[in-house]
Amino acid sequence: MPTSIPLGAPIWADAVTPDLAGDVDFYMRLFNWAAFDSGEQFGHYTELCLGTTVSEARAVAGIAEAASGDRGSAWGVAFHVGDCVRAAADAEKLGAQITSNPIRVGDDLVYAALKDPDGGAFGLFEPLSEKVGFTARDEPGAIVWLEYVYDGAPVAAMQFYSELLNWSLHAPDGVEPGHDAPYVGLRTREGRVLSKKAEFGGARMALGPELKMKPHWTVCFGTDSVDLTAAKAVDLGGAVVVAPVDDPGGRMAVLASPTGAYFTVMSSRE
């Protein structure tokens, strides 16, 4: 297997934007990332990395220009599968919609884009090379957590992913027995992924402005100071969607890029 990332785990995250140059500059300055353009052949898909040279670069995420006429901007996440064609077919049987059929990307990967039964977008990612997938994680400037935001009972939405990707679902300690929509921790059955804890992410009910959005995955980047990162995002033309707040996992804030893509920053989980 070309990657140590367990099957079923998040293996990659990327954003689409109508302003590729502008958003690349925003994220580079916000997180001190380096950017590596794949060239015209691959639509100038850009890899965002920690480290300043190709030899020392460690991949955090990617960013691509949205299709012509599409003004939307959003982050998405893809999960590791052993056979993308088979996994996409299985997902469709479980009620998902395939929005982009499995396609081979060079010699590196096979990828398919889908929407889960509740309308949340996600990807299936079959690595063919050890050069793809996260090589930086669980540190400031890298992804430390993933969350599914849902206007309803999170455990119901996660049943689809549990069956498709062989996840186990866990309610956190101390949840009130009568709570009708508790937070759900997400784990692969093969091993730990992003966090030093067993979970790589969670699913929660939508809050505030999120209630107007479709169910979606949000990426959470680590930072040494949530408050300073939120202030810097505003200075760079972004916005604070949910002001910095302490939660059981640490301090966090929901931010938006200048083109409106939501993402979260949080103090790295211990």
Side-chain angles (χ1 to χ4, degrees):
M1 186 178 295
T3 177
S4 61
I5 296 173
L7 285 168
I11 188 172
W12 194 237
D14 52 19
V16 293
T17 172
D19 181 9
L20 181 60
D23 268 10
V24 166
D25 182 67
F26 168 78
Y27 290 115
M28 287 177 66
R29 295 168 67 186
L30 183 64
F31 293 116
N32 294 318
W33 287 340
F36 298 93
D37 186 332
S38 63
E40 187 174 354
Q41 178 184 1
F42 295 101
H44 295 286
Y45 186 92
T46 300
E47 194 169 87
L48 302 167
C49 302
L50 295 175
T52 57
T53 66
V54 172
S55 61
E56 67 180 16
R58 294 181 296 124
V60 172
I63 187 167
E65 189 156 19
S68 178
D70 186 352
R71 306 306 301 170
S73 180
W75 278 94
V77 60
F79 301 99
H80 181 193
V81 294
D83 184 328
C84 190
V85 173
R86 178 178 295 178
D90 289 343
E92 197 169 31
K93 291 176 184 178
L94 292 170
Q97 175 189 354
I98 298 175
T99 57
S100 178
N101 287 313
I103 184 171
R104 183 169 177 141
V105 181
D107 295 324
D108 292 329
L109 62 111
V110 182
Y111 178 83
L114 303 94
K115 289 186 178 180
D116 65 35
D118 295 298
F122 70 102
L124 297 174
F125 186 120
E126 176 189 345
L128 304 177
S129 164
E130 62 183 11
K131 298 178 182 179
V132 296
F134 298 123
T135 53
R137 52 186 185 265
D138 197 30
E139 63 181 284
I143 291 176
V144 297
W145 198 249
L146 296 161
E147 283 191 331
Y148 189 84
V149 181
Y150 178 63
D151 184 17
V155 68
M158 291 300 99
Q159 293 301 323
F160 162 79
Y161 292 96
S162 177
E163 188 166 350
L164 177 65
L165 299 170
N166 195 29
W167 292 351
S168 58
L169 311 179
H170 298 265
D173 294 337
V175 172
E176 297 177 8
H179 199 304
D180 59 354
Y183 189 93
V184 176
L186 308 174
R187 303 178 185 177
T188 69
R189 298 184 189 275
E190 287 198 8
R192 300 184 180 189
V193 187
L194 295 175
S195 175
K196 294 176 183 177
K197 296 183 179 180
E199 288 85 7
F200 64 79
R204 62 173 175 82
M205 290 187 68
L207 300 170
E210 297 170 333
L211 292 168
K212 299 178 182 179
M213 302 173 67
K214 294 180 179 179
H216 62 279
W217 287 96
T218 183
V219 293
C220 307
F221 297 105
T223 177
D224 289 325
S225 173
V226 168
D227 297 74
L228 289 177
T229 302
K232 186 176 182 181
V234 173
D235 290 341
L236 293 172
V240 176
V241 179
V242 177
V245 63
D246 292 318
D247 74 4
R251 193 160 179 80
M252 58 80 68
V254 180
L255 309 179
S257 72
T259 55
Y262 282 21
F263 61 98
T264 299
V265 293
M266 57 174 54
S267 54
S268 298
R269 292 174 178 247
E270 298 296 333

